[in-house]
Amino acid sequence: MQLSAHMSVTIKTPQEIEKMRIAGRLTSEVLDYIDPFVIAGVSTNELDRLCHDLIVNVQKGIPAPLNYAPQGHTPYPKSICTSINHQVCHGVPSEKLLKNGDIVNLDITVIMDGYHGDSSRMFYVGEPSIQARRLCEITWQSLWRGIRVVKPGAYLGDIGHAIQSFVEPLGYSVVREFCGHGIGTKFHEAPQVLHYGRPKTGLRLEAGMTFTIEPMINAGKAAIKNLGDGWTVVTKDHSLSAQYEHTLLVTQTGFEVLTVSEGCPPPPKP
Ligand code: MF3
Ligand code: CO
Ligand code: CO
């Protein structure tokens, strides 16, 4: 999302942080819940319906994507994003069925008590190719390369650099047009968290900041294009793309991952 430059970065109070923890946990629990349903033959509309019903009827939360309409966009028509194979992000659920070998990103954002949690994971449909699984694993590791940088005094550019300098030597590329973002009472707020950059550049982190890191990594070239539906983003060269996302808090000593739950994948070995 594009954010206006004049918006300033909010520092969350302990009370707000507690609400962010709750929203983050609920978000991660939606991803845990949907995992067994991500199989060949299911439609992405069905995954959307299952997540919507869990969020609304069980969690008593709000699915933030539904009717979300940032400037220049038509309102988003569904409750989750489902991005398959060469789709980079913001894939819109449809009657299309998942098939054996697909990799799919499910991106969930839950609002609870006015605060947002935002997280996404890759899911394997049956047995994806070795190349597809490697792309997902490297993308997961790249997210954690970025997360491990987070502490007061670190620069946003350090996060981007950690991700970029990890994936590019492996032959992958970083999507430039989309970034992580501040989050709280707003879905997307300042700062923009780029997934590429130079060390010791950009904003310095302070305790109490909350933002996402959500690298989109392509197996081929970095270039993307928009599909005609106004939302879905795909790789221009139709290469596979993967993404993982966590919502983070900057603590006094480092970071806390807010989008955690029983089933969330454990951090990779450093
Ligand atoms: N969840 C996405 C993100 O990580 C944003 C999706 S916007 C939507 O920032 F409208 F497509 F849902
Ligand atoms: Co996000
Ligand atoms: Co998201």
Side-chain angles (χ1 to χ4, degrees):
M1 298 299 132
Q2 298 299 316
L3 301 160
S4 5
H6 65 265
M7 285 189 197
S8 55
V9 179
T10 60
I11 303 295
K12 272 71 178 180
T13 65
Q15 291 76 18
E16 290 184 289
I17 289 165
E18 195 43 47
K19 290 181 183 186
M20 295 284 295
R21 283 195 186 100
I22 293 167
R25 177 166 299 277
L26 291 170
T27 299
S28 192
E29 285 174 352
V30 176
L31 289 163
D32 295 354
Y33 162 79
I34 202 64
D35 180 69
F37 296 101
V38 187
I39 56 172
V42 76
S43 71
T44 47
N45 267 347
E46 179 71 2
L47 300 177
D48 177 70
R49 188 186 64 78
L50 287 162
C51 292
H52 176 95
D53 289 353
L54 182 79
I55 294 166
V56 171
N57 300 329
V58 181
Q59 297 182 335
K60 311 289 183 195
I62 300 168
L66 187 60
N67 297 318
Y68 184 61
Q71 227 184 12
H73 282 272
T74 54
Y76 189 78
K78 299 285 174 171
S79 294
I80 70 171
C81 297
T82 56
S83 305
I84 306 164
N85 297 335
H86 70 294
Q87 297 180 344
V88 173
C89 63
H90 305 165
V92 181
S94 72
E95 286 306 312
K96 191 182 160 78
L97 306 181
L98 296 180
K99 62 179 193 306
N100 184 43
D102 285 345
I103 55 170
V104 56
N105 175 277
L106 301 184
D107 194 339
I108 307 291
T109 311
V110 174
I111 309 173
M112 177 51 76
D113 206 3
Y115 287 80
H116 292 70
D118 191 8
S119 185
S120 80
R121 300 180 198 159
M122 298 303 297
F123 295 83
Y124 297 162
V125 182
E127 294 261 355
S129 66
I130 288 170
Q131 292 90 326
R133 280 180 278 164
R134 177 161 163 81
L135 172 67
C136 295
E137 281 163 20
I138 294 299
T139 303
W140 173 242
Q141 288 176 30
S142 81
L143 167 60
W144 274 91
R145 292 278 174 140
I147 290 174
R148 289 191 168 116
V149 164
V150 173
K151 62 175 182 192
Y155 295 80
L156 278 182
D158 298 340
I159 298 175
H161 181 258
I163 294 167
Q164 182 180 20
S165 66
F166 174 62
V167 304
E168 286 185 348
L170 298 171
Y172 297 127
S173 56
V174 178
V175 172
R176 301 293 203 269
E177 290 83 351
F178 297 90
C179 55
H181 49 91
I183 183 168
T185 57
K186 295 207 201 95
F187 193 166
H188 296 100
E189 56 184 52
Q192 297 199 43
V193 182
L194 303 184
H195 304 115
Y196 60 93
R198 285 174 294 117
K200 296 192 172 139
T201 61
L203 184 78
R204 287 187 83 171
L205 303 181
E206 291 172 41
M209 290 179 178
T210 52
F211 56 83
T212 72
I213 305 178
E214 49 182 296
M216 280 142 273
I217 305 300
N218 297 347
K221 296 207 169 80
I224 55 148
K225 63 183 184 192
N226 293 94
L227 286 195
D229 64 3
W231 280 100
T232 309
V233 177
V234 299
T235 55
K236 203 168 176 185
D237 63 8
H238 280 221
S239 63
L240 290 177
S241 187
Q243 180 180 29
Y244 282 86
E245 174 177 27
H246 267 315
T247 300
L248 304 158
L249 164 71
V250 185
T251 65
Q252 297 296 338
T253 53
F255 64 86
E256 179 181 331
V257 180
L258 298 175
T259 36
V260 285
S261 61
E262 203 87 338
C264 100
K269 289 188 194 77

